[in-house]
Amino acid sequence: MDLAVLRRRLRAAAAVGFCPPGAVDDDTDRLLLTFEELSSNALRHGRLPARVAVTLTATGWLIEVSDAEPDRLPTPAVGRDAALGGLGLHLVARLSDGHGWVVSDGRKCVWAHVVCAPPLLTGRPV
């Protein structure tokens, strides 16, 4: 999985309409950052093959990333120096409306649902 290429493709797709109605640049930025955090975690901490899917929902995007390392579960960093990394899951929690993980068929799947901010919360016109 070439993460940089996939990120560019996702950005290009969002630019030509792969987004829910009313999505703005900030929403797309949250999508891309969440995608990159989950995907890079699979490459860094999982086992190949890693797979990623981004599905358009009525309110945002569902990002699902799986790898072949079902025994190494996602663990948010707690009490660790930020310079040592491990804060990606905390970031995903802040950027998404929901997130989690499941082990099935010998694969670990980590997911996040990035929901576009409602117009009233962003100051956008209704």
Side-chain angles (χ1 to χ4, degrees), residues 3-63:
L3 189 53
V5 170
L6 293 177
R7 189 178 196 282
R8 282 193 300 271
R9 285 184 186 168
L10 183 55
R11 178 182 290 283
V16 296
F18 183 67
C19 37
V24 296
D25 289 345
D26 286 347
D27 298 321
T28 303
D29 289 344
R30 288 185 306 107
L31 163 68
L32 294 169
L33 189 51
T34 303
F35 167 84
E36 192 162 331
E37 286 296 331
L38 292 182
S39 300
S40 64
N41 278 351
L43 294 174
R44 198 173 296 124
H45 305 294
R47 187 173 66 219
L48 297 177
R51 300 181 184 132
V52 62
V54 180
T55 306
L56 186 60
T57 71
T59 57
W61 303 268
L62 176 64
I63 305 163

